[in-house]
Amino acid sequence: MGPAPLAYRSDIDGLRAIAVIAVVLYHFGVPGFAGGFTGVDIFFVISGFLIGGILWREHDATGTISLRQFYLRRFKRLAPAYFTMAALTTVFAAALLLPFEFREFGKQLISATLYLSNVMFFRQAGYFDSASDEKPLLHTWSLAVEEQFYIFLPLLILLLSRRRGAILAALIGAWALSLVGSVLLTPKMQTATFYLFPFRAWELLSGVLLAIWGCESGRRWRGHMALSWLGLGLVLASVLLIPAGPWFPGFLAIVPVLGTVLLLANGTGRNPVNRMLSTREMVFAGQISYSLYLWHWPVLTLSLYLRGAYSGPLETLLWMGLSAGLAYLSWRYIETPARRAKLPPGWVFAATAVASAATLALGGWLYVIDGMPIRFGQAAQQHIAASADFLQDWSRCTTPASGPLAGLEVCPIGPDGPPQVLVWGDSHLRAFREGLDLAAHEADMPGIILWRAGCPPLFDLRKVESAATLAQDAGCSNANLQIRQALPALPSLRKALLIGRWTYYANGTGIGLDQHNTIAVYPLEGPALIDAPQSDIIDHAATATINTLLDRFDEILVLRQPPEIAKYDSRIAAREAAHAGWPLAPPPITSPDMPRDALARRIAPAEAPWRRLAALGVVTLIDPWPQLCDDTSCHALIDGKGYYFDNNHVTNTAAIALSNLFAPVFTRPAVEEPKS
């Protein structure tokens, strides 16, 4: 005899409603729902409770479980809506996403279809990072966790099916290990504990163990009203108060999980909490929760991708309304008919296999053809090319474990051999890497690059930057000190070239599209010079740094910072050109040109120390401006080619085109003829 069917519980649909509404409001940025992402944790517990109950009752009645029937139900329940969402999202992604983003979308299609998207997103940026809203299938990470659970749980039960006690012991042990691992490792490995199944398994197993306890005890799921109120309070506290960031999941995830367990354990009692969860509106929202979860994230990410930002609460509400409308249509015309369809099992498995194969093939094709760049015209292509022209070849870089540069990334350029040139700088040096390497090879002179983003190549400074962590700020000072101490132990070096974003350090802020970035610099020794302009601190550090380097090098060169094109960013400009004519596209904000006179006030204090030192013959100043500017303006696009990636970093194309500037860096000193 098979297992008795589970009685429908309207309160569970109400609990699903809380979970999905919390997630949607959080993702759309509605104020007051700081912890709305914990709705996923509520879903995990519910899934564990329902699936665990089904499988345990089947095992209890038959001594085994039918994988065929189990996966038949799962495919009918989940696959149709997922493949519909994936197909329609692909259509709009094809119209909107730039080639390198569409290529990444192809990878997302593959990983989501293989139930591995949580692993892929773990290896990329974190869930709470700003880049997350550019990944239309990011939300499938939680579906992948559940699918992995659907593999783990039935196989575990089958493996230990002859020993009932062993199943329970294994489930309890797995629950404990997962919980302890999540709590202990979240502070150190937050991205892993957030995305990966082993650290989320305890949430699903909390529901499984609750279901087993109910089956074994004949529980009718009625308890004291206070427990329901406590459960609701914990769930609402999670949704409203738990902060996003590096401490979640860990011990914070216990709050929504415990709250959900209490609500499930007491969900059929006659009390105001369960009556609220069982209202028609809550039940309806719970019934469409899967489709709403599927659709809201692509709507959000693609609309923001097109719009840049919402104009206000009304627009936010309209996009949420569209998500709800798509969810209803998906539930009404896809989910429900597919679930109720009386199809032969073979047909269901075959249809799922065909849809999976087609989606995998599509994702692979998008990746192989590099995101289909032919979708956009020439106006967008030059910006698209620039947006993809920023990755350099760092394959020769090493991080020595010992020696004067131990722990620093050391990147050779030019031919092999003892380095004769030190190129020291920040991310502007990274941008010029290909041009420097070309110049070094042409001169047949080896060199090394030492660079660190946002770190001025100057001694005896500490910096505090808005875009950096405290550890990164401290790492800058420590690395520069180590370089200073290492120079006497590097006898082959004869020349030094300094490359930096001098205007940023002297003025303390970015410009135009990156004016929100700030940096403050302070001397490591001596008075803090609180009232002194930051440019004076940079001037003093520049002079002191050059004096120190003169004791070690035959010649010191400094690259004049390329002009900043304040309102240019190749990615934004590419989107603007690609979306031109779309009715909801915002007006353009980028410009590839910058009047020279608009930069005069900004560059004057930044260039003052270098011009003074150059006038004294102490340093050689290399000037890229003549090749980037005409008499009145400087340009991000030159001869139809993108020379800038953003408003201050050049592309590899520009670096190679400007490589002739670095010929003096790699010129050997003339050997004097002996006097007769």
Side-chain angles (χ1 to χ4, degrees):
M1 184 174 66
L6 290 172
Y8 171 71
R9 284 178 49 179
S10 57
D11 63 292
I12 293 180
D13 272 330
L15 193 50
R16 284 190 177 117
I18 292 177
V20 75
I21 291 171
V23 170
V24 171
L25 293 177
Y26 170 75
H27 283 158
F28 275 92
V30 176
F33 292 87
F37 56 89
T38 59
V40 171
D41 304 82
I42 298 172
F43 277 127
F44 284 162
V45 180
I46 294 173
S47 292
F49 179 75
L50 295 175
I51 299 303
I54 291 171
L55 292 177
W56 189 259
R57 292 162 74 91
E58 181 180 357
H59 177 266
D60 198 39
T62 65
T64 187
I65 57 175
S66 170
L67 290 179
R68 184 169 181 268
Q69 289 300 316
F70 175 74
Y71 289 118
L72 177 65
R73 293 191 298 267
R74 292 296 88 206
F75 289 154
K76 291 178 66 176
R77 170 76 174 88
L78 302 174
Y82 163 73
F83 286 117
T84 303
M85 179 277 297
L88 194 57
T89 300
T90 301
V91 171
F92 281 93
L96 291 171
L97 299 185
L98 299 180
F100 66 92
E101 295 160 333
F102 200 35
R103 180 190 63 211
E104 290 301 302
F105 177 80
K107 290 170 59 178
Q108 295 173 37
L109 273 178
I110 294 171
S111 62
T113 304
L114 293 176
Y115 316 137
L116 291 172
S117 58
N118 61 327
V119 177
M120 187 190 77
F121 292 124
F122 153 67
R123 299 176 65 179
Q124 298 177 353
Y127 180 80
F128 300 115
D129 293 343
S130 59
S132 65
D133 62 6
E134 297 181 358
K135 301 172 183 177
L137 297 181
L138 175 66
H139 64 319
T140 62
W141 77 268
S142 65
L143 304 181
V145 170
E146 291 201 25
E147 295 290 354
Q148 290 158 20
F149 165 70
Y150 297 151
I151 296 172
F152 163 79
L153 183 62
L155 292 181
L156 178 66
I157 294 175
L158 276 179
L159 181 65
L160 303 174
S161 61
R162 295 184 179 181
R163 301 179 61 188
R164 186 187 189 90
I167 298 175
L168 281 173
L171 292 174
I172 294 172
W175 175 87
L177 286 174
S178 176
L179 173 58
V180 170
S182 177
V183 171
L184 293 182
L185 295 179
T186 290
K188 302 176 182 178
M189 303 167 51
Q190 187 267 341
T191 304
T193 58
F194 187 93
Y195 280 117
L196 300 184
F197 171 70
F199 304 106
R200 292 292 196 152
W202 73 272
E203 301 182 33
L204 292 138
L205 289 173
S206 294
V208 172
L209 293 173
L210 176 64
I212 292 175
W213 172 67
C215 292
E216 293 299 301
S217 64
R219 175 95 178 155
R220 298 177 65 189
W221 309 116
R222 295 176 184 174
H224 198 282
M225 179 173 60
L227 295 176
S228 291
W229 281 109
L230 176 59
L232 181 63
L234 291 173
V235 165
L236 294 180
S238 303
V239 168
L240 300 175
L241 301 176
I242 287 182
W247 294 102
F248 191 88
F251 68 92
L252 289 177
I254 295 173
V255 181
V257 171
L258 179 58
T260 306
V261 166
L262 288 173
L263 287 171
L264 290 172
N266 301 281
T268 63
R270 296 180 179 179
N271 61 57
V273 173
N274 292 331
R275 285 197 294 271
M276 180 273 294
L277 293 175
S278 299
T279 59
R280 179 182 302 176
E281 295 78 13
M282 294 294 286
V283 168
F284 174 72
Q287 289 174 335
I288 69 169
S289 60
Y290 173 59
S291 281
L292 182 54
Y293 183 81
L294 278 181
W295 287 101
H296 86 282
W297 185 253
V299 169
L300 171 67
T301 55
L302 294 177
S303 63
L304 280 176
Y305 188 89
L306 172 64
R307 299 282 291 141
Y310 294 153
S311 59
L314 179 58
E315 183 177 357
T316 301
L317 186 63
L318 290 174
W319 290 112
M320 286 195 293
L322 175 61
S323 301
L326 289 172
Y328 171 75
L329 294 174
S330 175
W331 169 75
R332 177 68 177 82
Y333 296 106
I334 299 171
E335 268 195 80
T336 303
R339 190 170 63 250
R340 294 177 178 175
K342 304 297 183 182
L343 296 174
W347 288 22
V348 175
F349 289 119
T352 304
V354 169
S356 299
T359 306
L360 292 173
L362 175 61
W365 180 67
L366 293 178
Y367 188 80
V368 168
I369 64 170
D370 206 24
M372 209 186 327
I374 61 172
R375 291 172 295 138
F376 303 112
Q378 182 58 36
Q381 290 292 350
Q382 54 191 351
H383 302 296
I384 291 172
S387 70
D389 190 22
F390 68 98
L391 295 176
Q392 298 82 26
D393 179 10
W394 300 102
S395 60
R396 296 173 65 192
C397 298
T398 60
T399 303
S402 60
L405 297 176
L408 300 180
E409 186 178 49
V410 181
C411 301
I413 54 174
D416 293 332
Q420 299 180 44
V421 176
L422 167 65
V423 189
W424 177 28
D426 57 13
S427 59
H428 278 213
L429 166 52
R430 176 200 59 77
F432 274 105
R433 189 263 172 213
E434 300 302 308
L436 288 162
D437 187 50
L438 177 60
H441 274 290
E442 289 179 343
D444 196 31
M445 180 178 288
I448 57 170
I449 283 176
L450 299 175
W451 77 278
R452 187 174 291 256
C455 185
L458 300 172
F459 297 134
D460 298 328
L461 281 181
R462 68 180 179 90
K463 59 103 174 179
V464 179
E465 189 178 12
S466 61
T469 65
L470 292 177
Q472 289 169 332
D473 287 336
C476 171
S477 300
N478 294 337
N480 288 353
L481 175 61
Q482 184 177 349
I483 291 171
R484 180 176 189 169
Q485 295 171 341
L487 292 179
L490 301 170
S492 64
L493 293 174
R494 304 293 301 275
K495 291 185 177 185
L497 169 64
L498 306 186
I499 298 178
R501 189 182 180 186
W502 311 117
T503 59
Y504 181 48
Y505 305 133
N507 290 277
T509 66
I511 186 175
L513 296 180
D514 85 322
Q515 62 185 349
H516 57 281
N517 290 325
T518 62
I519 187 169
V521 297
Y522 307 95
L524 278 177
E525 300 177 356
L529 303 177
I530 295 176
D531 297 328
Q534 188 155 303
S535 57
D536 288 355
I537 299 174
I538 292 294
D539 192 322
H540 182 271
T543 303
T545 297
I546 296 302
N547 287 334
T548 299
L549 295 176
L550 284 172
D551 294 334
R552 174 64 188 81
F553 292 95
D554 297 337
E555 185 179 1
I556 302 167
L557 303 96
V558 177
L559 179 68
R560 183 189 185 192
Q561 180 189 321
E564 295 166 314
I565 314 298
K567 294 184 178 180
Y568 185 74
D569 185 297
S570 61
R571 295 156 297 184
I572 300 175
R575 291 183 187 183
E576 290 173 347
H579 301 160
W582 279 67
L584 295 177
I589 62 171
T590 66
S591 171
D593 306 305
M594 184 71 183
R596 294 182 67 142
D597 57 7
L599 288 172
R601 180 178 298 180
R602 180 170 170 86
I603 67 174
E607 296 186 349
W610 307 122
R611 292 192 177 280
R612 184 180 67 252
L613 293 168
L616 294 172
V618 176
V619 303
T620 300
L621 195 60
I622 298 175
D623 187 2
W625 285 51
Q627 297 189 46
L628 298 171
C629 310
D630 53 33
D631 292 340
T632 60
S633 299
C634 300
H635 310 285
L637 300 175
I638 297 177
D639 296 330
K641 298 178 181 179
Y643 269 44
Y644 278 73
F645 173 71
D646 56 20
N647 70 357
N648 64 97
H649 292 94
V650 299
T651 60
N652 294 329
T653 295
I656 293 171
L658 298 175
S659 64
N660 63 300
L661 293 173
F662 302 117
V665 179
F666 301 98
T667 300
R668 288 180 170 82
V671 178
E672 294 186 6
E673 295 287 340
K675 295 181 180 180
S676 58

